[in-house]
Every structure is written in structure tokens, then in C-alpha cells.
Amino acid sequence: MTEIYSRKEVLDHAKQLADMLANTDEIDRFKQVEAKINENKKVQELIKKIKAMQKQAVNLRAYQKTEALQKVEVEIERMQAEIDAIPVVQEFKEIQILVNDVLQLVTGTIAREVTEKLIESTGGDVLAGETGSSLKNKSSCGS
């Protein structure tokens, strides 16, 4: 007989899993690189300038100043490229992708496992991706 869990028990285990994920090498590296970015004066100055230019762009767009807006957008792109060329920013983007990949792997595994357990518990066909009731319905409709 399969054990039945309450929603609270499942959420408690989810919190446990989240705690485990928060203490992986990938997350530890993410925190280290993020701290480097926050300490990097050049990066912080460029971010501040980009934010100011983005506010300016919103105002120019609102007043339909298209020529000035284009100049501001070109400058924002230039500054963004300058930030992207900084090694610590490149490292940060790489670790962000890695952390995202780990989270996607975990969520995908959970979704796949739940689906397979559901199919198996209803006497279905995992390879066909059909629950037992779906298979029974097909066979009764076909006869």
C-alpha cells in the first residue's frame, strides 16, 4: 500500500529540498560572484548610468522625441556591451545559467516522476504516457 502524504508534509519536504539546493556548490559560487559584482565600482557605475538613461528613454518615448530617443538607446546598448565585456559579469552570467539549469533539472525530474507514479498507480502504460482509466476507456470504446 502506498503511503498518503498531506499537503503540509509535501511542502515541508519541498522546503527541505530548497534548503539543500541553496547549499549546493553552484549556489555558493553564485553568491561569491554576485558579491564581486556588487563590489566592482566600474560595474556599479555603469549600472547606475544605464538606469538613468533608461528613465530618460521612457520620458523621451512619452514625449515622442524619436531622434533623441534613438541616441539614448544607442548609448544604453554601448554601455550594456561595456558591462558585458567585464570578466566578472561574464562569469556571473555563466553561473546564472548553471543555477537555472540545476533548477530546471530538479523541476523537470519532479514533474516527470509525478507523472510516471500517477500512470503506474492507475495501471497505465508509462511508455505510452496513458493512465489506466485512459487505456480502459480506449478499449471499451473500440469494442
Side-chain angles (χ1 to χ4, degrees), residues 30-44:
F30 178 87
K31 290 187 248 183
Q32 292 171 14
V33 175
E34 190 215 15
K36 284 184 193 176
I37 285 209
N38 288 331
E39 294 164 6
N40 188 304
K41 301 267 189 268
K42 183 176 182 180
V43 170
Q44 293 308 310

Side-chain angles (χ1 to χ4, degrees), residues 104-118:
Q104 292 294 325
L105 180 64
V106 169
T107 56
T109 300
I110 291 170
R112 190 173 45 261
E113 289 294 319
V114 169
T115 300
E116 286 180 13
K117 299 289 184 213
L118 173 70

Side-chain angles (χ1 to χ4, degrees), residues 19-118:
D19 186 51
M20 289 171 68
L21 286 166
N23 290 296
T24 60
D25 290 339
E26 292 86 357
I27 295 296
D28 190 48
R29 186 79 188 116
F30 178 87
K31 290 187 248 183
Q32 292 171 14
V33 175
E34 190 215 15
K36 284 184 193 176
I37 285 209
N38 288 331
E39 294 164 6
N40 188 304
K41 301 267 189 268
K42 183 176 182 180
V43 170
Q44 293 308 310
E45 188 62 34
L46 283 166
I47 289 172
K48 196 182 295 182
K49 285 180 182 177
I50 288 173
K51 285 181 179 179
M53 298 287 280
Q54 286 170 333
K55 285 181 184 177
Q56 189 178 350
V58 168
N59 289 333
L60 291 170
R61 192 172 291 114
Y63 293 108
Q64 298 176 345
K65 304 281 187 181
T66 54
E67 195 174 308
L69 176 61
Q70 284 177 333
K71 288 179 183 175
V72 168
E73 286 174 341
V74 165
E75 182 59 16
I76 290 171
E77 284 178 28
R78 187 201 62 74
M79 285 190 286
Q80 188 62 56
E82 189 177 340
I83 285 179
D84 289 344
I86 298 171
V88 72
V89 173
Q90 292 171 353
E91 187 180 4
F92 183 73
K93 287 182 175 190
E94 288 169 11
I95 195 69
Q96 268 185 320
I97 290 168
L98 187 60
V99 167
N100 190 49
D101 287 349
V102 169
L103 293 174
Q104 292 294 325
L105 180 64
V106 169
T107 56
T109 300
I110 291 170
R112 190 173 45 261
E113 289 294 319
V114 169
T115 300
E116 286 180 13
K117 299 289 184 213
L118 173 70

